[in-house]
């Protein structure tokens, strides 16, 4: 059973059945990589006894059952990737769990229950990806204690309640994915406070929730922001001219909210914008200033270097609130 084995690589085969039950006998094992196979049984409990393990990658299989609690007791593991399986049950993190982990990838399973308060103890984690599960309850305030996290994914769960203000304490955050939950309340303004929140946020995905209120003014000062997804919420108010200062913006999804007023012509300053969704709001006025920079049918064949304006690959807008009384003039919009 190879007791001195350091690295076991089984990835990208067509292996079936279960992982060997005697993996725990490989006491010097540092890397266990068995992704992209067809393993369809439970994760062996003995994996939790591999005290020197640094990489555990069992992603893209059909593994079932609960994650053995001892997996979260591994002290040296840097990467835990159990994504894209059929695992269910709770995430059994405790106060002393995974002290060295940098990447925790559990997305694409059937994990349920609350996000544990102990999530905040993963202070060296740069990726925490829990998307595409059945997690419920509120996002714990301890999510703000992660400290080193760059990529935080909680999309497509059943999370409810407000976005905790403490999430802004993760000042290294670049990607925050919270879409397709049941979150309520406003976007915490502190998330876009350059003195208290993350200074390099590039992607904010909040689509398909129940969030409300005006958009924090600080968003329009977020020079690093590349993608802003606010589609299908209850946001209201006008879009200020300062939107034209978010110079790196490539994706802007504002559709299916309660925004009002004219679309600022300062959007024409967004030279990198490729995807713009405005439909099902109460915008008024004309978008012809955008049409001049694109061709019809939702596709643009222009050269960004020649027209000195934005080149939009997708532009959608429709009548106010989708009710049939057209208030936007736009000959190039898709509906």
């Amino acid at each position: 059973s190879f007791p001195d084995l350091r690295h076991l690589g089984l990835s990208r085969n067509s292996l079936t059945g279960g992982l060997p039950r005697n993996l725990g006998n490989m006491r010097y094992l540092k890397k266990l990589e068995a992704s992209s196979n067809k393993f369809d049984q439970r994760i062996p409990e003995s994996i939790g006894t591999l005290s020197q393990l640094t990489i555990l990658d069992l992603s893209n299989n059909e593994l079932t059952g609960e994650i053995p609690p001892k997996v979260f007791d591994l002290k040296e593991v840097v990467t835990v990737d159990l994504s894209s399986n059929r695992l269910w049950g709770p995430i059994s993190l405790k106060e002393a769990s995974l002290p060295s982990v940098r990447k925790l990838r559990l997305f694409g399973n059937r994990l349920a229950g609350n996000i544990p308060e102990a999530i905040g103890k993963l202070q060296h984690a740069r990726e925490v990806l829990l998307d595409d599960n059945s997690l419920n309850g509120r996002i714990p305030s301890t999510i703000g204690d992660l400290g080193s996290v760059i990529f935080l994914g909680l999309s497509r769960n059943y999370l409810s309640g407000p976005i905790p203000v403490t999430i802004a304490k993760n000042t290294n955050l670049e990607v925050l994915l919270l879409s397709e939950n049941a979150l309520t309340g406003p976007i915490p303004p502190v998330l876009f406070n350059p003195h208290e929140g993350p200074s390099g946020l590039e992607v904010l995905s909040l689509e398909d929730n129940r969030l409300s209120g005006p958009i924090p003014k600080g968003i329009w000062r977020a020079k690093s922001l590349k993608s802003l997804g606010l589609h299908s919420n209850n946001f209201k108010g006008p879009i200020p001219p300062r939107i034209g200062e978010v110079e790196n913006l490539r994706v802007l999804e504002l559709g299916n909210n309660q925004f009002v007023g004219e679309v600022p012509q300062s959007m024409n300053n967004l030279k990198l914008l490729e995807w713009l969704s405005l439909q099902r709001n109460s915008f008024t006025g004309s978008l012809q200033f955008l049409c001049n920079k694109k061709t019809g049918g939702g596709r643009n064949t222009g050269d960004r270097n020649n027209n000195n304006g934005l080149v939009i690959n997708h532009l959608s807008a429709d009548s106010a609130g989708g009710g049939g009384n057209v208030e936007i003039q736009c000959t190039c919009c898709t509906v």
Side-chain angles (χ1 to χ4, degrees):
S1 58
F2 309 107
D4 295 325
L5 198 67
R6 263 65 170 180
H7 180 194
L8 179 57
L10 305 173
S11 297
R12 294 179 178 82
N13 284 288
S14 297
L15 300 171
T16 60
L19 292 161
R21 296 292 167 183
N22 62 350
L23 281 171
N25 295 335
M26 302 178 186
R27 55 182 179 171
Y28 299 114
L29 194 65
K30 291 182 177 292
K31 296 182 180 181
L32 174 54
E33 297 171 310
S35 65
S36 301
N37 281 286
K38 298 179 181 179
F39 294 122
D40 60 0
Q41 297 184 23
R42 291 174 177 259
I43 297 173
E45 295 274 351
S46 60
I47 285 180
T49 66
L50 298 173
S51 60
Q52 297 191 34
L53 198 66
T54 60
I55 294 178
L56 174 60
D57 184 359
L58 306 180
S59 61
N60 292 298
N61 281 286
E62 300 172 12
L63 295 166
T64 62
E66 296 189 19
I67 301 173
K70 287 186 176 181
V71 168
F72 297 106
D73 292 335
L74 294 169
K75 304 298 183 185
E76 303 296 326
V77 71
V78 173
T79 297
V80 176
D81 192 345
L82 306 179
S83 61
S84 301
N85 280 286
R86 299 177 182 176
L87 300 168
W88 46 265
I91 300 174
S92 302
L93 284 172
K94 298 177 294 187
E95 289 291 311
S97 294
L98 302 176
S100 303
V101 76
R102 273 27 173 210
K103 298 178 181 179
L104 178 62
R105 299 171 176 168
L106 304 180
F107 63 86
N109 282 288
R110 301 170 184 176
L111 301 172
N114 294 341
I115 298 174
E117 295 280 340
I119 191 89
K121 297 297 182 181
L122 306 180
Q123 296 182 358
H124 298 291
R126 298 171 68 84
E127 290 183 19
V128 178
L129 306 182
L130 309 181
D131 313 82
D132 293 291
N133 280 290
S134 297
L135 300 170
N136 55 41
R138 296 190 171 212
I139 301 173
S141 60
T142 53
I143 203 82
D145 296 331
L146 284 166
S148 301
V149 69
I150 293 174
F151 194 152
L152 178 58
L154 304 177
S155 292
R156 293 176 294 281
N157 281 287
Y158 298 98
L159 300 171
S160 58
I163 301 172
V165 174
T166 54
I167 206 166
K169 291 166 58 180
N170 296 308
T171 55
N172 294 314
L173 198 59
E174 295 180 3
V175 179
L176 177 58
L177 308 181
L178 301 177
S179 64
E180 296 183 53
N181 282 289
L183 299 172
T184 56
I187 301 173
V190 70
L191 194 59
F192 291 93
N193 185 324
H195 304 294
E196 300 180 50
S199 59
L201 191 63
E202 296 182 1
V203 177
L204 178 62
S205 176
L206 302 177
E207 305 98 309
D208 293 287
N209 278 286
R210 300 171 188 171
L211 298 165
S212 59
I215 305 303
K217 295 179 181 179
I219 281 186
W220 314 124
R221 297 191 296 267
K223 302 295 186 182
S224 61
L225 198 61
K226 296 179 180 178
S227 178
L228 178 60
L230 305 181
H231 197 283
S232 298
N233 281 284
N234 297 307
F235 294 120
K236 62 183 181 180
I239 304 299
R242 291 201 66 172
I243 190 173
E245 299 176 21
V246 192
E247 56 193 25
N248 288 307
L249 202 60
R250 290 167 168 80
V251 176
L252 179 59
E253 300 229 37
L254 303 178
N256 200 17
N257 281 285
Q258 300 173 31
F259 293 118
V260 298
E262 294 193 359
V263 178
Q265 293 204 21
S266 60
M267 276 193 183
N268 204 36
N269 297 328
L270 302 177
K271 300 297 192 292
L272 301 178
L273 193 66
E274 297 177 353
W275 186 283
L276 175 61
S277 169
L278 302 173
Q279 72 269 26
R280 297 189 180 275
N281 282 285
S282 295
F283 289 122
T284 58
S286 173
L287 294 182
Q288 286 303 123
F289 68 93
L290 296 178
C291 292
N292 294 337
K293 301 300 181 184
K294 71 182 292 301
T295 60
R299 294 292 171 185
N300 190 307
T301 58
D303 184 343
R304 183 179 294 120
N305 294 321
N306 292 333
N307 63 32
N308 294 318
L310 57 86
V311 177
I312 301 176
N313 291 324
H314 175 90
L315 171 59
S316 60
D318 65 3
S319 57
N325 297 317
V326 177
E327 296 194 25
I328 284 186
Q329 301 171 10
C330 181
T331 58
C332 66
C333 293
T334 60
V335 294

